[in-house]
Amino acid sequence: MIFASDNWAGAHPTIAENLARHAAGFAASYGLNDLDRAVERTFCDLFEREVAVFFVSTGTAANALSMTALSRPGGVFFAHRDAHMVVDECGAVEYLSGGGRLAPIDGPLGRITPETLQAEIDRYPAAFVHAGRPAAVSITQATEIGTVYGGGDIAAIAETAQKNGLPLHMDGARFANALVSLGLTPAEMTWKRGVDIVSFGGTKNGCWCAEAVVFMNPEGARDFPFIRKRAAQLFSKSRFVAAQFEAYFRDGLWLETARHANAMAARLAGHVEASPYARLGWRPQANEVFPLVRRDVAKKLEAAGAVFKLWHVMPAEIAGDAREDEVLLRLVTSFATTPDAVDRFGALLA
Amino acid sequence: MIFASDNWAGAHPTIAENLARHAAGFAASYGLNDLDRAVERTFCDLFEREVAVFFVSTGTAANALSMTALSRPGGVFFAHRDAHMVVDECGAVEYLSGGGRLAPIDGPLGRITPETLQAEIDRYPAAFVHAGRPAAVSITQATEIGTVYGGGDIAAIAETAQKNGLPLHMDGARFANALVSLGLTPAEMTWKRGVDIVSFGGTKNGCWCAEAVVFMNPEGARDFPFIRKRAAQLFSKSRFVAAQFEAYFRDGLWLETARHANAMAARLAGHVEASPYARLGWRPQANEVFPLVRRDVAKKLEAAGAVFKLWHVMPAEIAGDAREDEVLLRLVTSFATTPDAVDRFGALLA
Amino acid sequence: MIFASDNWAGAHPTIAENLARHAAGFAASYGLNDLDRAVERTFCDLFEREVAVFFVSTGTAANALSMTALSRPGGVFFAHRDAHMVVDECGAVEYLSGGGRLAPIDGPLGRITPETLQAEIDRYPAAFVHAGRPAAVSITQATEIGTVYGGGDIAAIAETAQKNGLPLHMDGARFANALVSLGLTPAEMTWKRGVDIVSFGGTKNGCWCAEAVVFMNPEGARDFPFIRKRAAQLFSKSRFVAAQFEAYFRDGLWLETARHANAMAARLAGHVEASPYARLGWRPQANEVFPLVRRDVAKKLEAAGAVFKLWHVMPAEIAGDAREDEVLLRLVTSFATTPDAVDRFGALLA
Amino acid sequence: MIFASDNWAGAHPTIAENLARHAAGFAASYGLNDLDRAVERTFCDLFEREVAVFFVSTGTAANALSMTALSRPGGVFFAHRDAHMVVDECGAVEYLSGGGRLAPIDGPLGRITPETLQAEIDRYPAAFVHAGRPAAVSITQATEIGTVYGGGDIAAIAETAQKNGLPLHMDGARFANALVSLGLTPAEMTWKRGVDIVSFGGTKNGCWCAEAVVFMNPEGARDFPFIRKRAAQLFSKSRFVAAQFEAYFRDGLWLETARHANAMAARLAGHVEASPYARLGWRPQANEVFPLVRRDVAKKLEAAGAVFKLWHVMPAEIAGDAREDEVLLRLVTSFATTPDAVDRFGALLA
């Protein structure tokens, strides 16, 4: 009953096998080989356009180097108050971007809105050098609390960003989970709605270590080879990432693993709703479930072997509704979560 | 006949298998699991003392974050003019250390000497704020041109560093190759000779991606968890590195692969010496061989399928001796180099 | 009727004369001369202890380099949401500290409280590398909105900072105005209440350009000569700053100019209170007055030649109380403000 | 007999008076006032084109922020091995540019040549991400050792820079001294020969503190207001710099002070040539004289009250010629140097 995080899983067997298969033989290093090139083509096919793809080592690297690519002197990046780059990356964006600032934005259930975004942007009047100036907007898809921006939400935020002359970044550490939740194509969830650059994550969805920065417009990526290398993020045996992505995309494996994870989350949510001891903080839209339970119930679940996280922040939307002895749990599912584990957890709740 | 670089190989089968074996099951992320802990213990055993070990994604990261850990305002890092961090890391040291400077030092056959080091340090008089001030010394073992610092060389440089109050770093991207070349233990090649911090590389010697920063004194590593995370170098599924190192160290595999690579280099060198068309630039001490050949010979070797690098700099030591139509080749061997490939290359030279 | 800012004034005649007087003759550059040394001694006398003093070019430099001196990897600086370093320095703290983060803190009337400070610090749990970690606390004295921390307030915040192992910085761009408002000595307003480092401003209070970073404990300043020089903040003809400070401190000129500015603010406040067209947002404690007036009244005042700033944020404390057609004005006084100008403004309000 | 440095002088009386004259009255801060604007127009007139002018606090700031403006990821700046930014700025360029690298270039008597420049640029092959890439070239006019680039020299270096797609910066800490030495106009010494950006220094030539970054093409300066403010280099009472420049340029004062300084240097050189105890290291072209004297002679000069610097490096050009007991002195003259002091020094040498 491991629901601690989707990064507690290892690698999907198909991906592990493909990696092992590529262990033999020689290939040019630093990405200049056939396998890397082929995987880059696959990205173009998936996004239905020429994109520029750069493997990096972590989601934090993908985010921080995306922001670095979009930065400018005195630049400010706008992201939700709970975004990974705001609360979970130890200042990597600020550090790697050479001192850029993250402006945290409010918004219900983990999502910024055109209104909360514009209000924050307005704090930086044009040509007022003292305040600094906006540089980019970032949204997280799926969000840190398992909700998802709809296609219309993304388009509306992109419109606000464009109106202010700002590029739009998507932190897609859980890109696949959001994609299958919405039933959109990669193109529909990104550049067709105005997204300019994506942190494309494979690690949480079945890879060992497969993250990429994807520029929807390769023109914008001209400096990025240097940005990546200078940040010590250019793998020498880069094909070990390519081999993972090759298997990840083949026969739609990535969509299958994401659908499985989301289905397991829905199944968990069903158990929560059926339970007299728990209730949903909000409806899950991807692979994370947040039940409210009494503190003593949480302790009993842990004692019975369930592994999860006590969520550190009670979102404003439910805080008023929560009782004083209640805590918020975060349960995360992945390709490796079994129905059996979910149902055993359900049985504990019943 | 691939002698382009030791990072053109994939992964050693034993390492690939171990990685696949660990794909199943759950484990705490960010290094907080049994496998990571066990591998850290193995490092302590190998170095015969408590050391602090941090996995990172690339050798460049290991070098640049080591320098960052040793940096201070106005700080200058001393390394050989041909060191990887000087010529092959796109300014990662300067960037990640927040603007530190690399002072290139001369020295015969890729090695700095106590004298050339002291001469450069002397350019930074104490308490003269304008010049900046020394922060650390770095040596590369084995060097970029396949030579090795002897135990006495290391001790002498460490003495010079200590006399100037400077910590000593070892770029060990080819640590194992140097180790078996010298017949020393890890302890003897590092802290017993005054080395404080090591970039410990496994990638070139049979891993996919296994690099670590190793502090000989864990006290010095107190800030390093933040230095690493802030630089986007903390893997979530960190055990994919641990799994590689587990197999790497088991039953001395790493020494075996290094010995094999060095033996293949020696065999290559033998062919060069026997050839009427080539001669050694200098005697190889690890897994790199640098023959001087006529330009047309180099072309013929390439046409016959040999892959190698034309070395960009003719070291001063041999420049006077080289004829105008001669070029310097770099041939690198690895765990994956076969005697057959070496002998076929030898046959071309004969 | 110039109430735009205290930096719209020039230099006090006594200071200007002293600067002119020192124009002749030679003196060692970079601060290594008798005048600089003498002024440093004066600082020690004023603070009643050995302090380390470093002239810099701007208040922003003093703040950002103070934070740089206190920084550490992954470090977070805590300051009021309206602090100059948060809203008016174009990201200088983030940039010069190598990517540190500013965490904005709430608090009534421009002042943080031990409670709001502790609540924000608590978001960075010890040994949780993902969040980063606290590095320093900064308070602004007087605040951006003309209020002042009392001696007890400072002591209480210092206690909270110390409990969390954090040094305390004071942004003293208006140090003198707060000092005479409270009737404390420099020692009593700083280290005797737990302040560790001060941005000591002379520019707003009668100098052309005289700012200093003052370390209450010289031990903490060992790296600062390099921090300052590396940031391009070491003046060659440093005595042009020393000459200003010499006159500034002689015969208590600095206290006299601050008392004058504060008195002019009080006189302005009296006019506001007596006016049927204006009321005080809050009681001024230093040299800034914030009246609420109807938008059309503000326009008329400007048309009549009054120069002031429309304040960009309506503090929460008075927002509920303000009518929709009201705006908040900021009126700043200085050594150069005349009673006549104040009374002419008062007449407009009557 | 103070020949220690041109920054040991104070301010020229005319400049000091003008500064005092502007002390009274109010003016908009941060450069948005009539005086600042008028001085900016004067710069345009002097350079015979629209230029963008930004005051900063030090020559180091002017240099480092110029490089920052020209930087790009992985960027390398090329400057003479003895350039101020290489040896005397504590790594400010590297720090403020976010980790750029300075590549030191050789060249006779303090000047780089098209050949030595091209040779260094060639070490960074296009599209080879590992090495980094060239970003800008900087020349110092007059150089650190009192020599001057002729108009043809500048044009030739500019041609090499342009051929490589690189902008050309001029460190003009002693701009005026070089200008009057060559008999060129500011336009002829800069953009008419291909210079793109200038660190324009007034401090060494009679001001207290007056340095500016001047963009020959204002288009290139669009980010610079943020670059300057973020670096804490935007003065609030900016007109204290403007007032100095106003007097500096009026009636050609700056050319007069430079001519005087150069004449004093020539007079010093005459004494050296006439002396049996000293000889010129090389012919002075601006306001610095470098005599070779025996060590005991240097001691006697100091004992007699002469103040100068023992030059730290013996240039290769004269090293072979110098006797073992000889040292190289640096004598610097300025607007404040008197013929009497020069002749007293001459008498000591006779």
Side-chain angles (χ1 to χ4, degrees), chain C residues 2 5-13 16-17 19-20 22-30 57-58 60-62 64-65 68 84 88-93 95-98 202-209 225-227 229-237 239-240 243-244 334-338, chain D residues 2 5-13 16-17 19-20 22-30 57-58 60-62 64-65 68 84 88-93 95-98 202-209 225-227 229-237 239-240 243-244 334-338:
Chain C
I2 305 288
S5 178
D6 29 11
N7 59 31
W8 281 46
H12 189 279
E17 277 159 34
L19 189 52
H22 279 290
F26 295 90
S29 49
Y30 300 115
S57 70
T58 63
T60 296
L65 297 188
T68 300
H84 203 265
D88 274 318
E89 301 187 352
C90 194
V93 166
Y95 169 63
L96 291 170
S97 72
T203 306
K204 288 182 196 290
N205 191 35
C207 296
W208 269 126
C209 168
F226 295 92
I227 287 175
K229 175 66 186 176
R230 174 182 75 157
Q233 292 283 348
L234 176 59
F235 287 115
S236 58
K237 296 184 177 176
R239 65 178 159 137
F240 97 90
Q244 295 176 70
S334 77
F335 76 93
T337 307
T338 62
Chain D
I2 305 288
S5 177
D6 28 13
N7 58 30
W8 281 46
H12 189 279
E17 277 159 34
L19 188 53
H22 278 289
F26 295 91
S29 49
Y30 300 116
S57 69
T58 62
T60 295
L65 297 187
T68 300
H84 203 264
D88 272 319
E89 301 186 352
C90 194
V93 166
Y95 168 65
L96 292 171
S97 72
T203 305
K204 288 182 195 292
N205 190 35
C207 296
W208 270 127
C209 168
F226 296 91
I227 288 175
K229 174 68 186 174
R230 174 181 73 158
Q233 291 284 348
L234 176 58
F235 287 115
S236 58
K237 297 185 177 176
R239 63 178 159 137
F240 97 90
Q244 294 176 70
S334 76
F335 76 94
T337 306
T338 61

Side-chain angles (χ1 to χ4, degrees), chain A residues 93-322:
Chain A
V93 166
E94 292 91 334
Y95 168 64
L96 291 171
S97 71
R101 179 184 290 187
L102 275 166
I105 299 183
D106 290 311
L109 291 178
R111 290 177 292 229
I112 65 172
T113 68
E115 293 73 29
T116 56
L117 172 59
Q118 187 62 54
E120 185 68 19
I121 292 174
D122 287 345
R123 299 181 56 174
Y124 298 87
F128 183 67
V129 75
H130 306 277
R133 56 181 168 171
V137 177
S138 177
I139 56 175
T140 309
Q141 178 78 324
T143 73
E144 295 302 312
I145 59 169
T147 56
V148 165
Y149 289 91
D153 297 337
I154 298 169
I157 287 166
E159 195 188 344
T160 301
Q162 281 160 19
K163 210 172 54 194
N164 291 278
L166 300 178
L168 180 57
H169 167 259
M170 176 179 282
D171 176 355
R174 295 188 178 97
F175 189 93
N177 300 97
L179 196 73
V180 300
S181 173
L182 292 171
L184 296 177
T185 66
E188 288 166 353
M189 198 168 84
T190 58
W191 62 270
K192 288 189 175 175
R193 255 79 178 185
V195 173
D196 297 297
I197 178 170
V198 176
S199 293
F200 188 95
T203 306
K204 288 183 196 292
N205 191 35
C207 297
W208 270 126
C209 168
E211 304 288 321
V213 175
V214 187
F215 288 81
M216 296 297 122
N217 182 349
E219 269 300 286
R222 273 179 300 183
D223 276 349
F224 207 78
F226 296 92
I227 287 175
R228 176 175 61 174
K229 175 67 186 176
R230 175 182 74 159
Q233 291 284 348
L234 176 58
F235 287 115
S236 58
K237 297 185 176 175
S238 176
R239 65 178 159 138
F240 98 89
V241 178
Q244 294 176 71
F245 273 132
E246 184 188 41
Y248 187 66
F249 291 133
R250 200 160 41 201
D251 304 326
L253 174 62
W254 67 306
L255 304 176
E256 189 185 303
T257 50
R259 274 192 205 104
H260 175 81
N262 289 8
M264 291 300 100
R267 190 171 184 135
L268 261 178
H271 289 306
V272 170
E273 288 188 298
S275 165
Y277 303 111
R279 56 205 173 102
L280 287 176
W282 52 89
R283 183 147 304 283
Q285 298 181 281
N287 65 322
E288 297 185 292
V289 183
F290 289 78
L292 279 160
V293 301
R294 284 208 319 275
R295 203 176 298 272
D296 63 316
V297 172
K299 290 225 153 69
K300 277 178 197 158
L301 291 167
E302 280 180 324
V307 182
F308 48 78
K309 210 169 162 180
L310 281 182
W311 198 238
H312 50 293
V313 193
M314 188 75 76
E317 292 79 30
I318 65 158
D321 193 38

Side-chain angles (χ1 to χ4, degrees), chain D residues 6-349:
Chain D
D6 28 13
N7 58 30
W8 281 46
H12 189 279
T14 305
I15 291 166
E17 277 159 34
N18 202 52
L19 188 53
R21 193 172 66 81
H22 278 289
F26 295 91
S29 49
Y30 300 116
L32 307 172
N33 61 71
D34 292 347
L35 180 58
D36 282 73
R37 289 286 179 256
V39 168
E40 287 169 25
R41 291 301 329 151
T42 304
F43 270 96
C44 296
D45 294 345
L46 282 170
F47 279 95
E48 302 171 48
R49 66 180 294 160
E50 285 301 301
V51 296
V53 181
F54 299 87
F55 304 152
V56 295
S57 69
T58 62
T60 295
N63 287 341
L65 297 187
S66 292
M67 294 299 104
T68 300
L70 303 175
S71 190
R72 48 185 189 163
V76 178
F77 312 114
F78 299 86
H80 192 277
R81 180 173 300 288
D82 300 338
H84 203 264
M85 62 171 76
V86 175
V87 297
D88 272 319
E89 301 186 352
C90 194
V93 166
E94 292 91 334
Y95 168 65
L96 292 171
S97 72
R101 178 183 290 187
L102 276 166
I105 299 183
D106 290 310
L109 290 177
R111 290 176 293 230
I112 66 172
T113 68
E115 293 72 31
T116 57
L117 173 59
Q118 187 63 55
E120 185 68 21
I121 292 174
D122 286 345
R123 299 180 56 175
Y124 298 87
F128 183 66
V129 76
H130 306 276
R133 56 181 168 169
V137 177
S138 177
I139 56 175
T140 309
Q141 178 77 324
T143 72
E144 295 302 311
I145 60 169
T147 56
V148 165
Y149 288 91
D153 298 336
I154 299 169
I157 287 166
E159 193 188 346
T160 301
Q162 281 160 20
K163 210 172 54 194
N164 291 277
L166 299 178
L168 179 58
H169 166 259
M170 177 180 281
D171 176 355
R174 295 189 179 97
F175 188 93
N177 300 96
L179 196 73
V180 300
S181 172
L182 292 170
L184 296 177
T185 66
E188 289 166 352
M189 199 168 84
T190 58
W191 61 270
K192 288 190 173 174
R193 254 80 177 185
V195 173
D196 296 295
I197 179 170
V198 175
S199 294
F200 188 95
T203 305
K204 288 182 195 292
N205 190 35
C207 296
W208 270 127
C209 168
E211 303 289 320
V213 175
V214 186
F215 288 81
M216 297 298 122
N217 182 349
E219 269 301 287
R222 274 180 300 184
D223 277 349
F224 206 78
F226 296 91
I227 288 175
R228 178 176 59 174
K229 174 68 186 174
R230 174 181 73 158
Q233 291 284 348
L234 176 58
F235 287 115
S236 58
K237 297 185 177 176
S238 175
R239 63 178 159 137
F240 97 90
V241 178
Q244 294 176 70
F245 272 133
E246 184 188 41
Y248 187 67
F249 290 134
R250 200 158 42 200
D251 304 327
L253 175 61
W254 69 305
L255 303 176
E256 190 186 301
T257 50
R259 275 192 205 104
H260 175 81
N262 288 8
M264 291 301 99
R267 190 169 182 138
L268 262 177
H271 289 306
V272 170
E273 288 187 298
S275 166
Y277 304 110
R279 57 204 172 102
L280 288 176
W282 53 90
R283 183 146 305 282
Q285 297 180 283
N287 65 323
E288 298 186 292
V289 183
F290 289 78
L292 279 160
V293 300
R294 285 206 321 274
R295 202 174 299 273
D296 63 317
V297 172
K299 289 225 152 70
K300 277 178 197 159
L301 291 167
E302 281 180 325
V307 182
F308 49 77
K309 211 168 162 180
L310 282 183
W311 198 238
H312 49 293
V313 194
M314 189 74 78
E317 292 79 30
I318 65 157
D321 192 38
R323 288 189 304 267
E324 209 172 301
D325 63 345
E326 279 185 325
V327 291
L328 189 61
L329 312 186
R330 186 188 74 164
L331 309 174
V332 192
T333 57
S334 76
F335 76 94
T337 306
T338 61
D340 177 62
V342 170
D343 293 345
R344 277 188 289 132
F345 187 82
L348 291 175
L349 279 181

Side-chain angles (χ1 to χ4, degrees), chain B residues 241-260:
Chain B
V241 178
Q244 294 176 70
F245 273 132
E246 184 188 44
Y248 187 65
F249 291 133
R250 200 160 39 202
D251 305 327
L253 175 62
W254 68 305
L255 304 177
E256 189 186 303
T257 50
R259 274 191 206 105
H260 175 81

Side-chain angles (χ1 to χ4, degrees), chain C residues 131-196:
Chain C
R133 55 180 170 172
V137 177
S138 177
I139 56 174
T140 310
Q141 177 78 323
T143 72
E144 295 303 312
I145 59 168
T147 55
V148 165
Y149 289 91
D153 297 337
I154 298 169
I157 288 166
E159 193 188 346
T160 302
Q162 281 160 20
K163 211 172 54 193
N164 291 277
L166 300 177
L168 180 57
H169 167 259
M170 177 179 281
D171 176 354
R174 296 188 178 96
F175 188 93
N177 301 97
L179 196 73
V180 299
S181 173
L182 292 171
L184 296 176
T185 66
E188 288 166 354
M189 197 168 84
T190 58
W191 61 271
K192 289 190 174 174
R193 254 80 178 185
V195 172
D196 297 296

